[in-house]
Amino acid sequence: MKIAFITRSTLYKVPGGDTIQVLQLADHFKRSGVETSVLLTDEEIDYPQYDLFHVSNITRPSDILFHISQTKKPFVLSPILIDYSEYDRRYRKGISGLVLRIFPPGLTEYIKTVARWLTGKDVLRSKDYIWKGQRNSIREILKKVTRLLPGSEKEYQRLKELYAVENNYSVVPNGVDTSLFCPDEKITKDDKLVLCAARIEGLKNQLNLIKALNNTEYKLVLLGASAPNQKKYFDECRSIAAENIIFLDQVSQEVLTGYYKKAKVHVLPSWFETCGLSSLEAAAMGCNVVITDKGFTREYFGDDAFYCEPDDPDSILNAIKEASRSPVRKELQQKILKHYTWQHAADITLTACKNILSA
């Protein structure tokens, strides 16, 4: 069996949660004896040499349309459905914010995709996308792929609701690398140390987080680089930050574990998350996690997280105070280390691939 992951052209230049997902799954496939390649969507691909293809990021359908039209080999899809509409509508500034508030979500994503292509920030492999549009492109992909691999049951139901398409699916939850992210009981947690490990951008909502913690008793460490097209947002975050706010660039996962070991709280007050990989990693290492319920997070964290409202700095601060004062949620830690690992995700994905090929 020979499998190729086809993923966005900026996978390595602009790393994100999907970068970790693809590389982790590919690594576990290789360990299981499967010939596995990770290919970028702008590469020329020798389709006949592969038995099956894995694609991801349904909110970037132009990347996928081209490849599913080039071969009749089976495709599986990890949707990674992200909804930017609430953030775009309420907080994106400037001319782009005005435009995105006027038009419906499908059209705004279309505008953003075409803009990235016209400005040379991304590659548009499928010119069919221009006349099909965002919604019809996504519907076509959802119909054509052999199997969907959503990260949660809620994600699949949301896809059905938005695009009125049903297909075979297997839930493949996101995970952690247990060789890196495991508890260290020898280190005492610092109740006043708060982490946020995420790319700095409007969707992740670090600006309101900074407003919540400015000049408080807490030290906030922001671990992440600025999103490439949101330098003004990054600059605004830095300009309002008090002395107790520390900015570090993106660090390796090995370095990140050192911060997780020391901090009592990890916070990700996002406007939308499929789950929040850094929240999973932090919880696996004994941090209490502060999140929002925007997206599919409750299916992962249930009542074991501390929830806040992303538009309310007071709500964010109160959730952080509660998380800081509360005992570590050991039940969540154990659940993650048992059910939310990349090994578990790879096993489910590989089983789905084998079933497709055997059929």
Side-chain angles (χ1 to χ4, degrees):
M1 180 165 55
K2 197 169 184 182
I3 293 176
F5 288 80
I6 305 176
T7 188
R8 61 182 169 91
S9 60
T10 56
L11 186 78
Y12 301 109
K13 291 186 290 185
V14 188
D18 60 336
T19 307
I20 295 172
Q21 181 194 58
V22 166
L23 297 181
Q24 283 286 345
L25 291 178
D27 180 60
H28 283 287
F29 277 24
K30 290 174 183 176
R31 292 187 205 176
S32 298
V34 178
E35 289 189 67
T36 308
S37 301
V38 176
L39 309 172
L40 304 182
T41 189
D42 57 349
E43 293 183 41
E44 295 300 320
I45 296 174
D46 182 11
Y47 301 98
Q49 72 168 297
Y50 296 101
D51 300 304
L52 181 144
F53 297 92
H54 179 287
V55 289
S56 55
N57 288 318
I58 194 61
T59 47
R60 300 169 71 100
S62 60
D63 285 352
I64 303 171
L65 272 179
F66 173 81
H67 294 289
I68 66 174
S69 68
Q70 300 301 302
T71 177
K72 295 191 180 300
K73 295 289 181 73
F75 280 77
V76 296
L77 167 68
S78 293
I80 314 180
L81 177 65
I82 300 175
D83 185 353
Y84 294 91
S85 60
E86 186 171 5
Y87 167 71
D88 285 340
R89 187 173 65 252
R90 297 179 59 177
Y91 275 89
R92 196 179 286 273
K93 298 180 179 179
I95 295 175
S96 63
L98 178 62
V99 170
L100 296 174
R101 280 191 290 274
I102 293 172
F103 297 111
L107 186 54
T108 62
E109 290 306 317
Y110 176 82
I111 291 169
K112 286 190 279 187
T113 298
V114 173
R116 284 196 301 265
W117 170 51
L118 292 176
T119 56
K121 294 179 179 178
D122 208 346
V123 176
L124 191 71
R125 287 304 302 265
S126 174
K127 301 304 185 286
D128 287 353
Y129 174 79
I130 296 174
W131 61 268
K132 288 180 179 178
Q134 179 83 356
R135 178 178 170 78
N136 287 335
S137 296
I138 290 177
R139 280 176 52 83
E140 181 176 331
I141 292 166
L142 293 175
K143 290 177 181 178
K144 283 188 174 181
V145 294
T146 312
R147 195 167 191 88
L148 299 175
L149 304 175
S152 62
E153 180 66 33
K154 191 173 181 180
E155 183 179 16
Y156 175 73
Q157 297 303 325
R158 184 63 174 152
L159 282 169
K160 275 205 317 180
E161 177 186 331
L162 287 173
Y163 301 106
V165 174
E166 295 188 45
N167 201 337
N168 296 319
Y169 74 101
S170 301
V171 173
V172 181
N174 286 283
V176 300
D177 181 352
T178 53
S179 67
L180 281 175
F181 302 109
C182 53
D184 187 342
E185 305 294 344
K186 298 190 296 294
I187 296 180
T188 302
K189 292 284 188 181
D190 183 346
D191 291 353
K192 305 305 179 186
L193 178 58
V194 179
L195 302 182
C196 176
R199 191 164 56 203
I200 297 179
E201 58 181 337
L203 190 72
K204 301 295 185 182
N205 200 30
Q206 286 95 344
L207 189 64
N208 276 342
L209 173 58
I210 291 168
K211 290 177 181 177
L213 292 188
N214 262 348
N215 297 309
T216 63
E217 59 188 317
Y218 299 99
K219 178 189 288 187
L220 171 63
V221 178
L222 297 164
L223 297 143
S226 169
N229 61 341
Q230 294 202 31
K231 187 177 184 303
K232 286 184 179 179
Y233 183 86
F234 177 75
D235 290 343
E236 185 177 3
C237 287
R238 294 205 70 129
S239 70
I240 71 162
E243 291 186 0
N244 63 315
I245 313 297
I246 298 172
F247 290 81
L248 298 180
D249 206 340
Q250 182 179 346
V251 298
S252 69
Q253 290 198 308
E254 289 78 8
V255 172
L256 186 57
T257 59
Y259 287 96
Y260 285 150
K261 287 178 183 179
K262 296 175 184 176
K264 177 68 176 292
V265 178
H266 181 272
V267 56
L268 200 58
S270 306
W271 285 99
F272 192 96
E273 288 290 346
T274 54
C275 77
L277 287 184
S278 60
S279 296
L280 281 180
E281 293 165 354
M285 295 199 66
C287 298
N288 281 338
V289 293
V290 174
I291 57 175
T292 73
D293 62 359
K294 305 289 187 179
F296 315 126
T297 52
R298 279 198 183 271
E299 191 164 323
Y300 284 82
F301 297 97
D303 295 329
D304 291 317
F306 299 81
Y307 291 90
C308 63
E309 293 299 325
D311 62 343
D312 185 353
D314 286 337
S315 171
I316 296 171
L317 176 58
N318 289 334
I320 289 170
K321 286 180 177 178
E322 187 181 356
S324 174
R325 296 165 183 167
S326 299
V328 171
R329 297 291 171 86
K330 295 288 188 181
E331 298 84 357
L332 176 62
Q333 183 182 53
Q334 292 164 5
K335 180 172 74 171
I336 290 170
L337 293 172
K338 183 176 181 180
H339 298 293
Y340 298 129
T341 69
W342 288 122
Q343 179 65 64
H344 184 55
D347 289 344
I348 299 172
T349 305
L350 193 53
T351 297
C353 294
K354 288 178 178 177
N355 289 341
I356 289 168
L357 295 176
S358 66

